[in-house]
């Protein structure tokens, strides 16, 4: 019997309508368009506006469009893995909330939290369920409402992040396409450089934590950049080397969209030319778990069956990793 791989058989994404430009940010903090673009590559990002809307509301239109595209009902989904840093609430899982909203009545699910690396962690996890033979249709969702944890008086973070969501469907494949290999890593010594101070069990919400702005994302940019620019590039190169892939063999690099300079370093390390690198950071900023599936969604029409894709990400924690994927359609 041929080996079962978990192949992506459909992908879709969603970004909110509201566009937060660099020019608007200039009115909020001491920054300017030239400085932001030169250091990050970002020109605008999308923001989810509206009372009572959370990350699941970004996922609903993405998932509904994916199901329609694939021609299946929500009741056919076995499992939902929701990769997010900004769940609707501490519990229940946003995966369960989403399942109810889209009518996935036969799916069980859970949230996966690995900061910006969450989607590739989730893709690898979902693949195991498909490869086991127990699950036939697994939704892996990467989405974040980062605007909910960003302090728009902190120029170190507010210029970077935006809101968005992407979803992929994993199904069994016996033609050799799908998730072929992955290398996932983490290093908890990176916690001080990128984290949210309050809201967890160590520092529960209080007047003091709210007054101190400790429910926002905190980042020491230079330290994070130094670690990310090396490790994201190295792990992408490592997964290529392990699978005997040269730059000529790889059709597309799909990098996490955190910083244009980190993306460029990863492309350089893997020997891939700019025309093979998927970039949309200038329009969406860093949507955390949403970046890679949004890239897959936007470039879907350019992929060909059998194309070799290298996915790579780096996130707070620190977490990082790379996935080697053969496109299935």
């Amino acid at each position: 019997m041929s080996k079962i791989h978990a192949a992506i058989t459909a992908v879709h994404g969603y970004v909110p309508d509201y566009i937060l430009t660099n020019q608007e940010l200039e009115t909020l903090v001491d920054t300017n368009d030239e400085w932001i673009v030169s250091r990050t590559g970002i020109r605008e990002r999308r923001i989810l506006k509206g009372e009572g809307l959370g990350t699941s509301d970004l996922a609903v239109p993405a998932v509904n469009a994916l199901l329609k595209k694939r021609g299946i009902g929500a009741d056919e989904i076995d499992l939902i893995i929701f990769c997010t840093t900004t769940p609707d609430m501490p519990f229940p899982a946003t995966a369960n909330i989403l399942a109810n909203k889209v009518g996935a009545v036969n799916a069980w699910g859970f949230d996966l939290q690995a900061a910006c690396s969450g989607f590739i962690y989730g893709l690898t996890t979902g693949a195991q369920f498909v490869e086991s033979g127990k699950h036939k249709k697994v939704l892996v969702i990467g989405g974040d409402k980062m605007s909910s944890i960003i302090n728009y008086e902190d120029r170190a973070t507010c210029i970077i992040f935006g809101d968005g969501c992407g979803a992929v469907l994993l199904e069994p494949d016996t033609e050799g396409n799908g998730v072929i290999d992955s290398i996932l890593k983490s290093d908890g010594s990176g916690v001080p450089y990128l984290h949210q101070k309050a809201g967890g069990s160590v520092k529960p919400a209080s007047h003091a934590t709210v007054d101190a702005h400790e429910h926002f994302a905190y980042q020491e940019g230079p330290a994070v950049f130094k670690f990310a620019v090396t490790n994201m590039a190295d792990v992408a190169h490592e997964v290529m080397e392990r699978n005997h892939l040269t730059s000529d063999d790889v059709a597309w690099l799909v990098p996490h969209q955190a910083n244009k300079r980190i993306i460029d370093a990863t492309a350089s390390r893997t020997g891939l030319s700019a025309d093979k690198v998927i970039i949309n950071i200038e329009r969406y900023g860093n949507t955390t778990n949403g970046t890679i599936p949004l890239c897959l969604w936007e470039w879907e029409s350019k992929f060909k069956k059998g194309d070799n894709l290298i996915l790579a990400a780096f996130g707070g924690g620190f977490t990082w990793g790379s996935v080697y994927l053969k496109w299935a359609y």
Side-chain angles (χ1 to χ4, degrees), residues 241-258:
E241 199 171 49
R242 191 159 87 175
N243 290 278
H244 312 292
L245 297 171
T246 69
S247 57
D248 292 334
D249 300 319
V250 176
W252 300 97
L253 173 65
V254 192
H256 170 53
Q257 310 286 304

Side-chain angles (χ1 to χ4, degrees), residues 94-113:
T94 309
N96 294 359
I97 295 170
L98 174 75
N100 182 59
K101 287 184 175 182
V102 300
V105 294
N106 294 312
W108 67 284
F110 59 91
D111 291 359
L112 192 155
Q113 214 289 64

Side-chain angles (χ1 to χ4, degrees), residues 50-73:
E51 195 70 30
L53 297 178
T55 300
S56 69
D57 296 294
L58 294 167
V60 168
V63 169
N64 283 338
L66 179 151
L67 294 172
K68 183 177 180 181
K69 183 188 293 184
R70 187 71 180 97
I72 62 172

Side-chain angles (χ1 to χ4, degrees), residues 4-123:
I4 297 174
H5 287 103
I8 293 176
T9 58
V11 57
H12 212 86
Y14 174 79
V15 291
D17 294 333
Y18 187 88
I19 299 173
L20 177 60
T21 64
N22 289 348
Q23 287 72 25
E24 184 175 349
L25 282 174
E26 290 175 4
T27 69
L28 303 175
V29 290
D30 181 16
T31 191
N32 61 73
D33 177 69
E34 182 184 7
W35 190 91
I36 296 171
V37 173
S38 65
R39 283 162 178 78
T40 69
I42 302 168
R43 297 185 184 277
E44 55 190 44
R45 63 290 291 146
R46 299 299 182 95
I47 303 296
L48 181 63
K49 299 278 191 178
E51 195 70 30
L53 297 178
T55 300
S56 69
D57 296 294
L58 294 167
V60 168
V63 169
N64 283 338
L66 179 151
L67 294 172
K68 183 177 180 181
K69 183 188 293 184
R70 187 71 180 97
I72 62 172
D75 59 349
E76 297 180 56
I77 301 300
D78 303 318
L79 167 63
I80 298 173
I81 302 175
F82 205 127
C83 311
T84 186
T85 302
T86 55
D88 281 16
M89 52 187 71
F91 70 90
T94 309
N96 294 359
I97 295 170
L98 174 75
N100 182 59
K101 287 184 175 182
V102 300
V105 294
N106 294 312
W108 67 284
F110 59 91
D111 291 359
L112 192 155
Q113 214 289 64
C116 296
S117 305
F119 180 77
I120 61 168
Y121 276 34
L123 191 65

